[in-house]
Amino acid sequence: MKANGTKVLKGPERVATLLFAMGKPAASKILKHFSEEEIRLVTKSAAQLGPVSPTQIEQLVEEFASNFSDGADLIGGAAHIEKLLTGILSPEQISSIMSEVVGNANRSIWERISTVSEGAIASYLMKEHPQTAALILSKVKPSCAAKVMTQLPQPLRNNLMRRMLSMKPIVDETMKNIEKTLHDDFMANFSKNAGSDTHAKIADIINKMERDHMEDVLTNLSSVRPKSAEILRGLLFTFDDIVKLTPKDRTTLFDQVPPDRVVLALKGTNDEFRKVVLSALSSRVRRMIEHELNSKEPSAHRDIAEARRTITDLALEMAGRGEIVINSENEDEAYF
């Protein structure tokens, strides 16, 4: 109680008071964003709230409004989150949430890499110096390293195992540089395929557009945000880009595509493109598809476009899971 006898409103009570002041329509919209536990907490506070003077309501509303109208600076961080939750959740709930949040924020690069598919890690390691690859395998979780080893060629696997056995301690400064490089070069690139940043999400939208619309959007972006347009072009993957995949990744992709879809998608393509795609198929499936294509049976443009879209969508999904690598920098080698 204050000296004048008015009740001091705490976290949940302040929320309940503001909701009452808003009225049912506005309050209902806000409550939809609350968790069940938060609603339970606010409901309990509202039931026990009792009378609140007009002066208190006015002060609370003014305080709430001024926090936004004044353009208050916002600084993220665990301490600010904890302060925000104080008075709304119990100390036990806050402790549980903060331990999880801080724990995830402090996870090392090695823990994060350990959650990536073994195929993606193996593809990355095969491009690195064996000593770097051995160091990475020695730092990730043993279960992850074991799965990655099965994806590597036997000579490289044996070489890395020998290097891991004879590896000497790495000085802290060198290790920090390695970890930073891994984050920038590995996790950042993987997140692009996984669609975890803004450009990747926008690229995913553009990828689903018709070719003419796609080019129109990118041309417009190039005039106003050239850097973003450049990044987006690097993230896009169309049906024509299938020939840029490595032979192994093309085979992995088309193993998941029904033959009738392949037939439709290849209609209207040139001989060189067909040859590259057909080389990824088994001899039996290849003969069957060649026979269908030679029949010259016409198909609707809409069906052909849909078949191509299905295949490119599948390629993007598989890349996001780390099963194949799209937009490879080694495009010259992809045809062979």
Side-chain angles (χ1 to χ4, degrees):
M1 289 285 184
K2 289 183 179 180
N4 60 6
T6 58
K7 182 179 180 181
V8 177
L9 298 178
K10 297 183 179 179
E13 295 168 334
R14 290 160 65 87
V15 173
T17 301
L18 281 170
L19 290 173
F20 279 134
M22 290 176 185
K24 185 175 180 179
S28 297
K29 292 179 181 179
I30 293 176
L31 283 171
K32 289 179 181 179
H33 298 281
F34 283 29
S35 68
E36 184 178 344
E37 179 63 29
E38 290 168 340
I39 292 174
R40 186 181 296 111
L41 186 63
V42 172
T43 301
K44 182 179 179 181
S45 297
Q48 301 172 351
L49 186 60
V52 180
S53 69
T55 302
Q56 282 183 287
I57 296 175
E58 185 178 347
Q59 289 175 345
L60 184 58
V61 172
E62 286 183 358
E63 180 185 342
F64 179 80
S66 66
N67 285 334
F68 291 91
S69 62
D70 291 345
D73 292 335
L74 294 176
I75 304 175
H80 293 81
I81 296 172
E82 187 170 3
K83 183 179 179 181
L84 182 65
L85 295 177
T86 301
I88 296 178
L89 300 179
S90 69
E92 293 76 15
Q93 290 173 311
I94 294 175
S95 177
S96 175
I97 291 172
M98 293 308 300
S99 63
E100 182 180 342
V101 170
V102 174
N104 286 337
N106 290 338
R107 282 200 313 163
S108 71
I109 181 67
W110 308 112
E111 289 180 275
R112 296 200 297 275
I113 290 177
S114 296
T115 64
V116 177
S117 74
E118 56 269 21
I121 299 175
S123 296
Y124 179 80
L125 295 184
M126 284 190 283
K127 301 173 185 177
E128 293 298 311
H129 188 280
Q131 192 66 19
T132 303
L135 172 63
I136 293 171
L137 285 176
S138 70
K139 300 293 289 185
V140 298
K141 292 181 179 179
S143 57
C144 172
K147 291 177 182 178
V148 173
M149 283 288 194
T150 64
Q151 302 285 319
L152 300 173
Q154 186 178 13
L156 177 59
R157 184 167 64 239
N158 294 336
N159 182 5
L160 295 183
M161 191 63 75
R162 289 193 297 270
R163 288 175 180 270
M164 289 168 68
L165 286 170
S166 59
M167 187 167 292
K168 293 178 172 56
I170 307 294
V171 298
D172 289 345
E173 192 62 33
T174 301
M175 183 60 73
K176 286 179 182 178
N177 290 334
I178 292 173
E179 290 176 350
K180 184 179 184 305
T181 300
L182 279 173
H183 181 274
D184 295 342
D185 190 37
F186 183 74
M187 295 304 294
N189 287 337
F190 183 80
S191 68
K192 286 195 304 184
N193 283 341
S196 60
D197 61 15
T198 302
H199 286 99
K201 290 176 182 177
I202 299 300
D204 188 44
I205 295 172
I206 297 176
N207 264 318
K208 291 177 170 33
M209 293 180 175
E210 295 295 333
R211 186 77 189 208
D212 291 346
H213 296 163
M214 179 187 295
E215 287 300 327
D216 181 64
V217 168
L218 290 172
T219 300
N220 181 267
L221 275 175
S222 296
S223 63
V224 292
R225 298 188 63 174
K227 185 61 178 178
S228 289
E230 181 183 349
I231 294 172
L232 287 170
R233 286 186 184 278
L235 292 172
L236 295 179
F237 183 83
T238 66
F239 185 70
D240 294 339
D241 293 323
I242 283 174
V243 295
K244 298 177 183 178
L245 297 175
T246 64
K248 180 181 177 182
D249 284 348
R250 275 199 302 273
T251 299
T252 302
L253 170 63
F254 281 100
D255 278 348
Q256 307 296 320
V257 182
D260 61 322
R261 285 283 176 181
V262 180
V263 172
L264 271 174
L266 287 179
K267 288 191 174 183
T269 57
N270 59 48
D271 291 340
E272 183 180 0
F273 186 94
R274 287 187 184 185
K275 182 179 178 181
V276 173
V277 172
L278 292 173
S279 68
L281 308 175
S282 67
S283 56
R284 181 183 65 82
V285 175
R286 182 167 62 249
R287 287 195 299 271
M288 181 180 71
I289 290 176
E290 286 175 333
H291 175 74
E292 292 291 332
L293 290 172
N294 290 332
S295 69
K296 306 295 183 181
E297 184 177 343
S299 297
H301 174 74
R302 181 181 61 186
D303 294 336
I304 294 173
E306 178 61 27
R308 293 178 180 179
R309 172 59 55 208
T310 299
I311 295 173
T312 52
D313 284 350
L314 176 61
L316 288 164
E317 290 172 10
M318 294 176 71
R321 295 193 297 266
E323 297 171 9
I324 64 174
V325 178
I326 64 173
N327 295 327
S328 170
E329 295 179 1
N330 300 320
E331 293 178 4
D332 293 339
E333 301 175 7
Y335 289 90
F336 305 103

